[in-house]
Amino acid sequence: MSVDFLNATVEYTTRANAMLNPIIPKSGIFLMGEKGIEFRSEKGPGFIQIPWTSVENIFVQMLFGGRYVRGFTIATDEGQLFEFVVNDAKDTLKYMRKYLERDVFQASKSNISKVLGQFKK
């Protein structure tokens, strides 16, 4: 079974893990182009295609006061959430700004800060 690429031209790539399963992430390549975002699994079948027009929000996972970006979660207009941990998260997000408005991006509290926040009084 062959799956067509969403983009005619791939403009940006980076290595990524798609967190489709919280226990076993799927490693692959994160690609972006003129029509949207694609993820291709390296091992076995698996792909994700998200057109730019379907992206509602991108929740950015920032740590250490925003100095480190771990990854992001993409929310689509169909109510789907796709979490990615990418090698070059800051550069990836900068590239997305070429196609998405600034208000689409939102800071998301990391799981670590959520846990630490429970201990503060």
Side-chain angles (χ1 to χ4, degrees):
M1 179 177 155
S2 175
V3 177
D4 292 333
F5 283 91
L6 176 65
N7 300 295
T9 305
V10 174
E11 300 171 1
Y12 181 91
T13 63
T14 188
R15 297 197 39 75
N17 286 322
M19 309 304 284
L20 302 174
N21 178 332
I23 298 170
I24 306 170
K26 191 170 267 286
S27 64
I29 304 295
F30 190 87
L31 309 113
M32 291 187 283
E34 77 283 357
K35 291 186 182 175
I37 299 164
E38 298 183 70
F39 174 81
R40 299 287 172 161
S41 174
E42 288 180 319
K43 299 175 184 168
F47 69 93
I48 298 169
Q49 296 179 330
I50 307 168
W52 293 120
T53 56
S54 295
V55 176
E56 291 273 310
N57 288 300
I58 296 181
F59 301 102
V60 182
Q61 301 165 3
M62 295 187 293
L63 301 168
F64 309 114
R67 290 189 303 265
Y68 176 73
V69 178
R70 178 180 176 266
F72 45 85
T73 301
I74 299 172
T76 68
D77 56 1
E78 295 177 355
Q80 297 171 306
L81 295 174
F82 297 100
E83 183 180 354
F84 296 98
V85 176
V86 298
N87 281 359
D88 307 313
K90 283 187 177 182
D91 291 340
T92 304
L93 292 166
K94 284 179 188 176
Y95 182 82
M96 288 180 182
R97 285 280 294 125
K98 181 176 177 180
Y99 293 100
L100 299 171
E101 297 295 322
R102 183 175 295 277
D103 61 347
V104 169
F105 299 88
Q106 298 178 17
S108 173
K109 284 193 174 186
S110 70
N111 290 338
I112 294 169
S113 57
K114 289 178 189 174
V115 169
L116 293 176
Q118 293 177 353
F119 295 107
K120 291 183 180 180
K121 290 196 174 192

